[in-house]
Amino acid sequence: MWLTSSSVGRKLIMSISGLFLILFLAFHMSMNLVAIISSEAYNAVCSFLGSNWYAVAGTAVLAAGVFVHFAYAIILTLQNRKARGEQRYAVSENQGSVEWASQNMFVLGAIVIIGLCIHLSQFWAHMMLPELVGSEELLLTADGTTYAATDGAGLISYTFKNPINVVLYVIWLIALWFHLTHGMWSAMQTLGANNKTWMPRWKCISNIFATVVCAGFIAVVFYGYFA
Amino acid sequence: MEKLINITLKVWRQRGPQEKGAFETYQLENISTESSFLEMLDVLNEKLVKERKEPVVFDHDCREGICGMCSLYINGHPHGKDQEVTTCQLHMRRFNDGDTITIEPWRSAAFPVIRDLMVDRSAFDKIMQAGGYTSVNTGGIPDANAIPIPKPVADEAMDAASCIGCGACVAACKNGSAMLFVSAKVSQLALLPQGKVEAAKRVKSMIAKMDELGFGNCTNTRACEAECPKAVSISNIARLNREFICAKLKD
Amino acid sequence: MTSIPGLFAIGEANFSDHGANRLGASALMQGLADGYFVLPYTIQNYLADQIQVPRMSTDLPEFVEAEKGVQDKINKLMSIQGTESVDSIHKRLGHIMWEYVGMGRTKEGLETAMKKLKELKKEFWSNVYIPGEANTLNTELEKALRLSDFLEIGYLMAIDGYNRNESCGGHFREEYQTEEGEALRQDDQYSYVACWKYTGENSDPELLKEPLDYEETERKTRNYKN
Ligand code: HEM
Ligand code: SF4
Ligand code: FES
């Protein structure tokens, strides 16, 4: 199958899975912004995306997307290291126009995955998971407060009261920002939807999109911290 | 103004593909700033032969930037730091008295070192043989303007055709990818009517050959474009992807 | 096909359409025209016959002799172990050619050139130094093999220029010019196409001529003034 057996095919898989994750990010970020406006509204959105079939299906597709993207990131990176060969240059200078992010996509992606794990253990494990397994388990925190699985807004303010979490999330989101500034135009280039005119446009769109998404997420983090 | 400078060279020496290489340091005195980089290496070799040592092996031919034979990774850049020049077009006036210049061969798994600074770039020829041509059956001589080609398209094709197959793009790429070269070769033909006929077949066989020869997957870092002595643009890579994906979807 | 069966000459080596002049663009045009228009209609015809020709064995005496010839030449070059580098002799060859066998040349100059070229050839074959071994990639040996040919062709150019007592095309013998400094041809003596035959390592080549007879056209002198 050409998608997996050719270099351009493998890149196409990276690009489509990446663009899919981008769509999800945009959606997730808009949803989070609701938490700033109103806790009730946010919890309503959360319950809407609870343990019903479409949310579960969405989660499964999303997990598959992350898995495919991650798996191909590993495959591509290993193949590329091999293609580069054993001998490295003794002296190597940056070529000026080369973006730092483009050379470090795997590291940035790895940070994103670690952040994702932390994030899932802090939120998903206390919100969607209990509903899925049918337990009404409540999160009991060190200070004795309890949060119901349906109280997403409460969980946000609880989590981000802790400055360590704030720092972790900000690092995570900055890595995501770098990954997106390169990833988004790179995905268009891989799809073939690029040329000399669109190159600067895609770069501009990527920068704006990455900034809006990451700023949106970070806003919620700080909202949780200060509110 | 001509000046004479003294320089230190750190040159990669390697006797054969299987042997271990290492840097050797040489001092050169009174090198004219008017001389070219390769002339400076000629001076080094003349000196080595005088000392009854084996000269440094490096590729070169036209010495005017058109043949694509010269290579050399100079101070961390393929073809040196100057933009849009080949090594043979690089001048010693770009260097200062007392400079240390590190010279390495192209390093990429698909370009094994033959000796010293000379690498085997026949992988590029194999890619070309896989489809970098048009099978012409010309018939009678057509009128010069029977097939009008818009100027911008002709320009794009001409820009792509300026690729000299030197391999600097592969040498610069952290993924050892040959996409800039292949995209230039595919584009120069795919853009013009004579090349369109076989475009789908060509792009598939050239990419298949490129993958088979062990070049890496392009992640759009743009290092190739920054180092290409002919300023071939990565918009050609987008065209290559487009041509390939469309060809495969049509199958 | 050339007069040697199985040896083809096409493109730059062919001089049917653009004259014998092999300067940049006309050579290129010849290559393009032959490759694009002539070859697709001609080559099959010639190659078809070649299918009948059995694959040559490398044991044939001619092959063995040619291989031995090259091997001997390489052994000879490697065994000299003199003191002059290939490049330094190449440079001296260049200076002689530049000085005496340029576009404008004279009888005396060409005589000097022939003398100097003979000496240089002798020096090359007795005093060149090639480092390294013959059975590895050896760029000095490669250059030496070419230079040995350059020395031959350089001498041939000098002797050819010396032999032709007229001015014609890129060959301007300063003794033969009009009052206005234009090339002065001697059509009564030099109206022929010619080539030089190799007669052995140490003897001068032999001139073979074929007269140029014009029946329909009249010969004219080309100049760039009118
Ligand atoms: C929210 C999560 C993520 C998003 C939205 C995302 C997005 C993207 C996009 C759009 C691309 C460009 C694809 C292309 O050039 O064709 C990309 C490339 C890449 N991603 Fe991700 N990614 C995410 C997570 C990850 C993770 C977890 C990894 C794992 C380490 C990763 C590693 C890579 C690598 C190595 C590339 C290749 C660089 C390239 O082709 O340009 N990404 N990503
Ligand atoms: S694309 Fe540029 S760097 Fe690559 S082979 Fe062609 S001329 Fe050289
Ligand atoms: S030697 Fe021909 S391009 Fe440099």
Side-chain angles (χ1 to χ4, degrees), chain C residues 142-171:
Chain C
E142 192 189 319
K143 282 193 284 187
L145 285 165
R146 286 174 209 259
L147 182 55
S148 74
D149 286 344
F150 295 161
L151 286 163
E152 299 293 333
I153 195 94
Y155 186 74
L156 205 58
M157 283 168 73
I159 204 172
D160 188 56
Y162 177 77
N163 183 65
R164 196 173 263 270
N165 292 311
E166 65 161 354
S167 292
C168 181
H171 163 79

Side-chain angles (χ1 to χ4, degrees), chain B residues 4-219:
Chain B
L4 296 178
I5 56 174
N6 299 335
I7 50 172
T8 306
L9 294 179
K10 279 178 68 188
V11 182
W12 183 259
R13 304 293 314 252
Q14 182 176 342
R15 288 192 62 85
Q18 307 307 336
E19 275 164 81
K20 235 177 97 62
F23 282 103
E24 287 258 1
T25 308
Y26 304 101
Q27 308 289 341
L28 279 186
E29 272 143 37
N30 296 329
I31 293 296
S32 162
T33 50
E34 305 270 275
S35 65
S36 77
F37 197 83
L38 293 186
E39 281 168 336
M40 180 275 291
L41 285 181
D42 291 339
V43 172
L44 170 69
N45 278 349
E46 185 71 24
K47 185 176 152 198
L48 289 175
V49 174
K50 280 263 144 62
E51 294 167 3
R52 304 190 89 75
K53 292 185 187 141
E54 288 191 59
V56 178
V57 175
F58 61 93
D59 263 325
H60 59 103
D61 191 16
C62 70
R63 298 205 178 195
E64 55 176 4
I66 55 167
C67 74
M69 269 311 270
C70 57
S71 48
L72 306 187
Y73 203 84
I74 303 160
N75 283 346
H77 293 276
H79 295 299
K81 197 172 178 167
D82 275 12
Q83 296 289 302
E84 293 184 36
V85 294
T86 53
T87 293
C88 59
Q89 294 169 305
L90 183 65
H91 279 83
M92 290 311 294
R93 57 173 172 266
R94 291 281 176 233
F95 299 90
N96 297 317
D97 196 35
D99 275 3
T100 297
I101 307 172
T102 308
I103 313 175
E104 301 175 70
W106 284 177
R107 295 194 194 281
S108 198
F111 287 166
V113 170
I114 299 173
R115 187 166 190 172
D116 296 343
L117 303 170
M118 185 189 270
V119 298
D120 180 359
R121 285 173 281 183
S122 56
F124 269 11
D125 302 334
K126 292 184 189 134
I127 296 176
M128 288 306 276
Q129 281 156 10
Y133 50 80
T134 55
S135 328
V136 278
N137 192 354
T138 48
I141 305 169
D143 244 357
N145 48 7
I147 319 168
I149 297 163
K151 178 82 164 90
V153 177
D155 284 350
E156 279 274 300
M158 197 65 197
D159 285 350
S162 65
C163 164
I164 52 174
C166 63
C169 42
V170 179
C173 177
K174 85 184 210 344
N175 306 320
S177 163
M179 287 287 271
L180 194 64
F181 166 76
V182 177
S183 72
K185 297 301 177 192
V186 162
S187 293
Q188 69 184 19
L189 298 173
L191 282 163
L192 299 178
Q194 292 90 336
K196 282 221 168 85
V197 187
E198 293 164 297
K201 185 172 139 233
R202 174 182 313 114
V203 72
K204 283 184 286 184
S205 34
M206 286 180 84
I207 293 230
K209 192 44 112 186
M210 173 187 94
D211 290 344
E212 178 197 318
L213 292 167
F215 290 103
N217 307 279
C218 168
T219 65

Side-chain angles (χ1 to χ4, degrees), chain A residues 10-25 66 69-74 76-77 101-102 104-114 116 172 176 179-180 182-191, chain B residues 218-221:
Chain A
R10 287 188 291 269
K11 278 300 318 265
L12 191 63
I13 295 181
M14 275 310 275
S15 139
I16 292 178
S17 58
L19 285 176
F20 170 69
L21 295 178
I22 283 185
L23 276 183
F24 166 73
L25 281 182
V66 173
H69 193 77
F70 188 51
Y72 269 86
I74 294 174
L76 287 189
T77 307
S102 73
N104 296 285
M105 285 298 271
F106 189 78
V107 181
L108 291 168
I111 300 177
V112 172
I113 270 267
I114 295 170
L116 192 66
W172 176 33
L176 183 66
H179 197 86
L180 288 182
H182 176 71
M184 198 166 162
W185 77 257
S186 171
M188 300 325 284
Q189 168 86 2
T190 304
L191 285 172
Chain B
C218 168
T219 65
N220 306 321
T221 68

Side-chain angles (χ1 to χ4, degrees), chain A residues 56-215:
Chain A
V56 174
T59 312
V61 172
L62 199 62
V66 173
F67 176 76
V68 167
H69 193 77
F70 188 51
Y72 269 86
I74 294 174
I75 295 173
L76 287 189
T77 307
L78 288 179
Q79 282 180 340
N80 288 350
R81 285 185 67 88
K82 188 157 161 259
R84 182 47 146 165
E86 314 260 279
Q87 286 284 355
R88 298 291 147 140
Y89 291 113
V91 182
S92 234
E93 235 180 43
N94 194 343
Q95 290 100 342
S97 57
V98 175
E99 298 161 30
W100 175 81
S102 73
Q103 308 259 33
N104 296 285
M105 285 298 271
F106 189 78
V107 181
L108 291 168
I111 300 177
V112 172
I113 270 267
I114 295 170
L116 192 66
C117 293
I118 299 176
H119 175 62
L120 289 179
S121 73
Q122 284 173 338
F123 286 85
W124 186 76
H126 296 304
M127 293 174 70
M128 196 162 175
L129 187 63
E131 279 190 44
L132 280 180
V133 296
S135 85
E136 277 300 304
E137 196 186 322
L138 301 180
L139 176 66
L140 185 67
T141 59
D143 64 1
T145 338
T146 54
Y147 292 99
T150 48
D151 187 10
L155 205 51
I156 290 179
S157 54
Y158 163 69
T159 308
F160 298 119
K161 279 285 170 296
N162 183 346
I164 295 178
N165 280 339
V166 173
V167 173
L168 285 178
Y169 273 70
V170 168
I171 294 177
W172 176 33
L173 290 164
I174 290 176
L176 183 66
W177 184 85
F178 277 109
H179 197 86
L180 288 182
T181 49
H182 176 71
M184 198 166 162
W185 77 257
S186 171
M188 300 325 284
Q189 168 86 2
T190 304
L191 285 172
N194 202 359
N195 58 30
K196 277 183 190 143
T197 320
W198 273 90
M199 180 78 215
R201 293 186 190 163
W202 281 128
K203 284 196 98 164
C204 180
I205 294 173
S206 306
N207 285 340
I208 293 174
F209 178 85
T211 310
V212 168
V213 165
C214 294

